[in-house]
Amino acid sequence: MSRPLIISDCDEVLLHMVSHFKDWLEESQGVDFNLVGANFGEALRWQKSGDLLEANEVWRMLGGFFDTQMDRQLPIAGAVESINALNEHADVVILTNLVDKRRDMRAEQLAAIGIEAPVYTNQGPKGPALQRIIEERAPSRAFFIDDLPQHHLSVLETTPEVVRLHMCGEPMIAGSIECAHQAGHADARIDRWAEALPWLMERLDGEPT
């Protein structure tokens, strides 16, 4: 019989990203970062002029961060221990919104902190990518963990049987992110692994629904 499958995001679920991105921009790129909600398009301003960065410049900064700064990303508290505990009861894969050329970099980054898991890259809504993973692996049950509400809606639309946990482990933005659970798109919203692990374990050990 196949095992359950946990499909987890990486940034702000397993690793801090936005806080390190902010530090890098302000230290070395001449850019101030002030994120309100999840709107990156209005968060980055040139320090000298105060002008907003154009969209292509924001994408260039994000690409530069992931190409050169991934080694500065620290784990979310409890993430490594929790994912490895879950891996004793289920298969774990990572579904991360990075361009495909950074897949191996992400896998190596996670392995360096003690998370050994297959990495799938994606661009855009995650529902279709998650559906393909489930079709490929045919798990007994599937669980999805992500920090962005739009991905929970996407998964709900494509594979509504998947258990969806909305988690944002970055305190800098957690309070500003719209709650997918309140919107009816996730089964729970839990931002700390200390509470998320027992919630997931209880459902892993329960009967399939």
Side-chain angles (χ1 to χ4, degrees):
M1 181 177 175
S2 60
R3 300 218 303 168
L5 177 65
I6 293 172
I7 302 158
S8 177
D9 184 31
C10 183
D11 294 317
E12 317 308 2
V13 172
L14 303 178
L15 298 174
H16 291 282
M17 182 270 168
V18 71
S19 57
H20 299 307
F21 184 51
K22 173 183 172 68
D23 291 344
W24 175 69
L25 290 172
E26 296 181 350
E27 291 167 1
S28 65
Q29 302 303 305
V31 174
D32 284 329
F33 181 89
N34 182 24
L35 184 65
V36 177
N39 189 355
F40 266 66
E42 298 181 3
L44 281 70
R45 292 182 180 272
W46 295 109
Q47 290 173 348
K48 287 186 177 180
S49 67
D51 294 337
L52 284 171
L53 274 67
E54 299 290 338
N56 67 312
E57 294 171 325
V58 174
W59 284 111
R60 181 173 62 83
M61 291 295 177
L62 282 166
F65 177 84
F66 285 118
D67 281 338
T68 66
Q69 303 296 311
M70 288 172 74
D71 60 346
R72 77 189 288 167
Q73 290 185 258
L74 298 175
I76 301 287
V80 176
E81 299 85 352
S82 295
I83 282 292
N84 287 330
L86 290 166
N87 199 29
E88 296 179 7
H89 301 264
D91 294 331
V92 175
V93 302
I94 310 303
L95 177 58
T96 182
N97 264 18
L98 291 177
V99 295
D100 296 341
K101 70 177 184 178
R102 298 192 180 104
R103 185 188 67 82
D104 290 346
M105 295 168 61
R106 175 119 285 175
E108 292 168 4
Q109 175 191 34
L110 289 169
I113 63 167
I115 297 176
E116 299 276 357
V119 173
Y120 294 81
T121 47
N122 178 70
Q123 299 83 47
K126 290 186 175 178
L130 182 141
Q131 186 175 29
R132 290 192 295 271
I133 293 170
I134 290 176
E135 289 171 353
E136 170 191 329
R137 292 180 169 266
S140 58
R141 283 168 288 166
F143 298 76
F144 175 63
I145 311 169
D146 202 282
D147 67 309
L148 295 181
Q150 63 264 33
H151 295 315
H152 290 279
L153 174 59
S154 179
V155 169
L156 174 63
E157 292 173 338
T158 57
T159 49
E161 70 277 10
V162 171
V163 178
R164 299 169 303 279
L165 173 60
H166 187 185
M167 171 187 283
C168 179
E170 173 50 70
M172 177 179 160
I173 60 172
S176 303
I177 291 180
E178 186 177 332
C179 179
H181 179 51
Q182 291 181 353
H185 304 152
D187 296 285
R189 169 73 185 265
I190 306 172
D191 289 340
R192 287 167 42 87
W193 275 107
E195 288 84 36
L197 178 59
W199 187 89
L200 288 161
M201 292 291 283
E202 179 182 358
R203 283 150 185 80
L204 279 174
D205 292 338
E207 293 296 323
T209 57

